[in-house]
Structures are given as C-alpha cells and as structure tokens.
Amino acid sequence: MEIDRDRFTEIVQKCETSLIGKRLPTALYVHISALSALDRVLQDYENYARQASQQIQGATLIKFNTEQPKLSYLFYPDFDIDPHPALYASIQVDLNTLTANYRDYSHSENPPILHRKETFVTTNYPFYKQFIQLTCIEERLGLLDKSGFIGTRREWLQKLHRRGVHISGHEVIQKKDNLILTPDNLTPRIDRHKAAIVRKHLSRPVRTALEAELFTPETTFFDYGCGHGGDIERIAKQGYESSGWDPYYCPNMPLISADIVNLGYIINVIEDLAERREALIKAWELTQNVLIVSAQVLIRDQMDGQIAYEDGIITRRNTFQKYYEQEELKTYIDQVLEVNSIPVALGIYFVFRDETKAEIFRESRFRSRATTPRITVKVRRFEDYAEMLAPLMTFITERGRLPVKKELKEEEEILAEFKTYRRAFQLILQATDEEEWEAIAEKRRQDMKVYLALTHFTHRLTSRKLTRQAREDFKALFGSYKHACLLADMMLLTVGDLENIADICQESFVGKKQKNSFLVHISVLEKLDPLLRLYEGCASRTIGRLESVTVVKFHLNAPKISYLYYPDFDTEPHPALDTTMQIDLRDLEVKYWECDRDNPSILHEKEQLITPNYPNYEKFAKLSQQERDWGLLEERNLIRKRQDWLKLLRDRCVILKNYRLYWRKDTDPYKLKALRAEVARRKQKRKKD
C-alpha cells in the first residue's frame, strides 16, 4: 500500500466522518475492539501499519493521525477496571517508511490518563453503560471543564480534591457525607437568565420578519421573553409600537396583545416540559397576526463539551439548551398550537392567525422577480398616456395577467379613457415587445406550478379558500385552479427522476457542472429551470436554508441539496468554504459541518455559478481563463484544498495578485521559458478549438 497524497486524503476523510471513536482536531482514537466497525479503508490502513512492529500485541487504543501518515498504538492495561487509566506505553508507526518508535511511560510519576472512555468503544462494549454514566456525573460536576488541565494524573487528582469528591471504581463519591453521586441525586441549578444575549443588532428572527415585509406602518410588536430588550428598542426606532416582557429582566411589564409576537429562542432554554409548552401557548394567545417562533437547531459540532439533561443539555454557564431537529421543531409547534407553521430559515418559523394570509405569504416566496419591458418604439399616443399606464404595467409585471374589477386603485381613470384594460394593454404593446410580456406570464405560470407542487407536503387549499386575487391568477394563467393543480402534481412526479434532473443541469445556461453535482450562486436560483427550483424548494420550503447561503449544490447521485457559505465570495479570487448544510430529501435528515479553518476547501471558476450581469463577472471570468491557459485547473482533485492550491502556485512559479497571475521574479530563466511555451501552446489550441 502506497500512502500518496490522494490515499492519505481519503484516510483523513474517513477519520473525520467516522461514527466510531473519539474525534479530535488532529486525530481519531479507537479502541482495539472497535476496529472491525470502522470503514474498510481505515481497517486496511491499520493492517498495513501492523507490519512495522511485532510489539503491538496488547495495545488498547489506536490513534489515527490526520495531519501526517502516522498511526500510534497506545497501551492502557487497566482500561476496563480503572475509571481513568494511565498510559503505559506507545508505539508510533510512520506509514511512509514503515518504521516504529517505542515510548515507555510505565515509570512516569505523572502519566497521561484517559477520560470519556465510552467515546473510544462501540455501544455494545461490555462496560459502555458504566463508562457513560461516570462521564455524565463528571460533566455535571464540571470536572471535565478545561480538559487541557486534566490530561495527567496529578492535575486530575488535584481537581477532584478541590471539588470535594473522589472516584472509587466507576462511582463518584462526595467526601463530606460519603454519598455516591448519581444522575438522580445530582440536579444542576439552571440559570435561565444567563441564556439572554446582549446583541448589537436585531435578532435573526425579527430581522427575517422585517425582510419578509410582515411589518406595515400600523404594525404593533411584542417580544415575549425579551431578555435585555434589544429587539424592542430597535423595532421602536423604526417607527413601530413595540413592547415586551421577560420573567427575569422585565417581570413587571404588562403582557400585551400585538400584531406580531416574537418568541425568540425561548422554548429551547426552558427545561421544564410543561412550562415550555405554556410559554408557546401564551405567546400565541397574545398574537393577532403572526407569531415568530425560533429555537436552536441541532448542530453536531456544537455538542462537543456539553452534557445531556432531560431532552436537552446543560451548558457550562448553567443554562439549559434543547437542540431541536428542524422538522422536530415544526412538529412541536404544530402539535401544541394546532397550526401549520411555515419554516422560513433554520430554527425560525412563522405562524399566521389567518390561513389565507399564510397562503399568500407562502405563494409570494415563489414569485420570481420580473422587469417591466422597456419602451422600444416611440408611439405618440402611448407617450401621452405613459404616466397613467405605468400602474397597469407594474400590475401585469407582478401578476402576469390583466387586472379585474377593483384590483387596481387607478382603475377609474384608466377605464374612463380606454373602456377596458385590454384596450389599454393594446396601446402598451405598440410601444413594447409582446414576447417580453409573454415571457413574464410564462415565468409567473412556472412560479405558481412550483408553489402548488410544494403544497403537496403541507396542505393545499381548496378553491373556495383561495383569495380572490389568487383565483383570478389561476383562471387567467391556467384556465382553472383544478388544471393548475394537475400540472403541478405532474411536475412533482418528475422531480424524483435524478437522470432527468442531471440532464436539465447539463443543459442549464448557468451553473458549475461536475460529475455528481451541480452548483449555482444563490442569486440565480430563481432563473433556473422550474424543475430545479422545485427540487431545491423541497428542501428550502420544508426545512429552510442555511443563513447567508452563497452557493446551492444539487446532488445528482442522491436526492440531496447542500447549502454552502463562502463569506468572501465577492472579494476573494478563490473563496474558502466556511459552513455546509445538507438536506437529504428522502428522510429530511439535516447535517451541518464547519470547514477546516487551516486548510479549507476553496472555489474555482466562480463565473460559472453566476450570470454575466453579476458584479465583477468579467474579472472572475478573465482570471479563470488565465488559470486554464497557465495549466492550473487541469487536475481538479489536487486543488480542492487551499494548501494544495498554494503549493501548485509555488511549483508553477506563479503569484496571484488582484485577480491576475504573474510569474515569480526569482524563477529560473530556463524553467520560465518552458512554462511560457506551455502557456502559448494552450492558448493556440484554445483558439483552434
């Protein structure tokens, strides 16, 4: 087995995604008994390492180094019987040279020790329950805080002494009354008020409501569980009547009904189930129009260093946190309030009092932006009525159809002059391109099909419950609501055909086409084929999108959507990936992860993800073309990570500055001549092709 770069990259990936073992930033630790549960790639890797030494018999743990191709065998002879066993010896194997280095800790006065033994083994290990109960007690007592100071026996015993406890077997005993501590007799104190955050800006849920245009000039706002009151102050500054209440910070403020009530990150900090339910119901009773409910959603990486308690965790600040799955949160809201809440972002839901208004909001989220057609022909009569006809043109641009009686406030003036809207529109057509108006109607038609298709996952209104405006939309664009529903359901049936989805991606006018995926910038999502919008909508309208999403990734080998966040997409030639959220459309499972800050994945050929009217498109495209001409993009698998990309630039004697490539000034003249010749050949070949 040769441990080349690609091979080691695969090893690292398998370590980072392993569900077995204890994952740390630079290594994966696994008990010898759990080897057979690892991915076959890691098993083969360990088998290869065994060839380096005959002394590994009796090893307890295996350490897979993820920084370099090295593997260590760690000997803890008292692993099963000692709650915090000491390291006896280690053997480190260099996989490149297949040499072994032995270290003896048996005579150390202060040897390294283990904590959280359950993380190294599988759940069917004979002592798993014993290990995990010990860890639970130690975490609740804060014994495992600041883990960097308890890694050796002396420091650990000092901490136990300071906390007034000692450990016998796998039990924690309180010295003062010789009480064996268990989860039942050790109830932590919850400081709920410490969960309140002092913000410098509007909270994300309230900001989301503002961006969704839920606030109108007469809207009143009430913050239930307002904490330090930051949202109240900032909403008041924007001219809205605003007030709030909090059991700790504002207990004497009255509970007031309001158009919009915010229950922001409250239900996730209440450890008592009955009280949690009561808070949700009380906030809903105060709501006249829309209730905003938000809670922390489960993010795997954030669970490190926190402990289980009831159905949540106790943080190190003695606050309770219930981390919901996104779909779990919707189910909880809907069951308690007997409603159909609308997911608008991760952990944020809107609950409307009026179901008709809820449908209007749902439908509005699928309406693509359209531009009113330009005046292309000078028509004297149109110019005379241009100002009068402007509202009519705006209405048709928005709805894709002519208005009916009482839909346009300028109706009386327009009909007095033209008798009918159709006659007025005929004059508009004399000065504009009719095909552009037809394209607007078709775009609106596709928007409504996508919206209707996704009501399959929630609740589709009957025709009688539609607003008058919606009924007119369906009548004008489809002939009837029934026919529109039929077309939408037929469209939904095709979304599961991944081969068809892949073909549509391949033919798309925009997007980065890869073997098993298709990537687009969030700004062009609404310009995609309706079936792709529906495919993405199954994720975003059911679960929600990652906040600040930059790129949407369509998986073509499995029904999944990923949302990628590149904070520096607009400013960096090759922006680094910060966060990823992936939704599996088969079971709506959500996975999140943050990228390696030291060596993140980076993006190439940004212009493929956007349209030519995106700011700096030309600059992006010119850089990519130069990189192709200079042969930098030929081996894509070798430039996925930042460090690999920088190494390639160094190897090719290239400097990237201000979206331009330059030869390094210290490059050997003969090498530079050869490199220039390669560039010239590529340019010539490109021109011929």
Side-chain angles (χ1 to χ4, degrees), residues 40 91 185 259 279 319 408 547:
R40 171 56 64 182
I91 298 175
N185 64 21
D259 296 319
T319 64
L408 203 61
E547 187 182 19

Side-chain angles (χ1 to χ4, degrees), residues 47-269:
N47 275 328
Y48 181 64
R50 282 175 178 263
Q51 302 175 36
S53 175
Q54 301 296 320
Q55 298 177 282
I56 63 173
Q57 192 67 29
T60 315
L61 301 183
I62 298 173
K63 173 186 175 183
F64 293 85
N65 191 311
T66 56
E67 290 191 314
Q68 47 191 322
K70 293 183 179 181
L71 185 146
S72 299
Y73 294 92
L74 310 177
F75 295 80
Y76 292 90
D78 301 322
F79 183 85
D80 288 342
I81 60 174
D82 190 329
H84 298 285
L87 180 62
Y88 183 86
S90 71
I91 298 175
Q92 185 183 76
V93 178
D94 188 321
L95 275 293
N96 281 328
T97 60
L98 214 59
T99 55
N101 180 37
Y102 179 86
R103 290 190 66 179
D104 186 355
Y105 294 87
S106 61
H107 302 295
S108 172
E109 294 182 359
N110 189 27
I113 61 172
L114 285 181
H115 299 85
R116 304 178 190 272
K117 293 194 295 181
E118 74 283 353
T119 61
F120 303 106
V121 299
T122 60
T123 54
N124 59 4
Y125 192 76
F127 306 107
Y128 178 81
K129 290 184 178 179
Q130 191 178 41
F131 295 168
I132 201 167
Q133 179 161 322
L134 173 63
T135 298
C136 177
I137 298 298
E138 290 177 344
E139 285 182 321
R140 293 196 188 185
L141 291 171
L143 295 174
L144 302 184
D145 294 353
K146 298 182 179 179
S147 57
F149 297 94
I150 58 174
T152 55
R153 178 181 286 162
R154 182 185 301 126
E155 284 72 21
W156 173 243
L157 293 177
Q158 288 174 352
K159 190 163 193 175
L160 294 180
H161 178 72
R162 288 196 300 271
R163 296 298 174 92
V165 297
H166 67 93
I167 298 176
S168 176
H170 285 76
E171 293 179 333
V172 181
I173 302 172
Q174 210 165 46
K175 288 182 179 179
K176 63 180 180 180
D177 50 15
N178 205 35
L179 174 67
I180 297 175
L181 300 177
T182 68
D184 294 329
N185 64 21
L186 182 63
T187 303
R189 177 175 55 90
I190 307 299
D191 296 324
R192 285 186 200 165
H193 65 283
K194 290 184 179 179
I197 298 173
V198 179
R199 293 185 176 91
K200 295 182 179 180
H201 308 284
L202 275 172
S203 67
R204 190 162 62 96
V206 178
R207 189 174 73 245
T208 301
L210 277 170
E211 292 169 352
E213 300 180 353
L214 297 185
F215 284 81
T216 60
E218 303 301 320
T219 295
T220 56
F221 173 76
F222 187 83
D223 198 350
Y224 189 91
C226 60
H228 299 281
D231 281 341
I232 297 173
E233 294 177 10
R234 294 180 181 93
I235 286 296
K237 286 181 180 178
Q238 297 201 30
Y240 302 103
E241 185 180 330
S242 179
S243 59
W245 171 87
D246 188 273
Y248 185 86
Y249 294 99
C250 307
N252 298 320
M253 296 296 290
L255 296 172
I256 302 173
S257 294
D259 296 319
I260 296 177
V261 175
N262 179 44
L263 187 68
Y265 303 109
I266 299 300
I267 60 174
N268 53 279
V269 301

Side-chain angles (χ1 to χ4, degrees), residues 465-485:
K465 290 188 177 181
L466 293 173
T467 63
R468 176 173 177 259
Q469 192 169 52
R471 284 197 296 270
E472 294 297 338
D473 287 344
F474 287 116
K475 180 180 178 181
L477 295 171
F478 294 95
S480 70
Y481 179 59
K482 183 178 180 180
H483 186 227
C485 290

Side-chain angles (χ1 to χ4, degrees), residues 492-506:
L492 186 61
L493 288 174
T494 64
V495 81
D497 185 348
L498 289 181
E499 289 187 8
N500 185 39
I501 293 291
D503 289 341
I504 293 173
C505 291
Q506 191 61 38

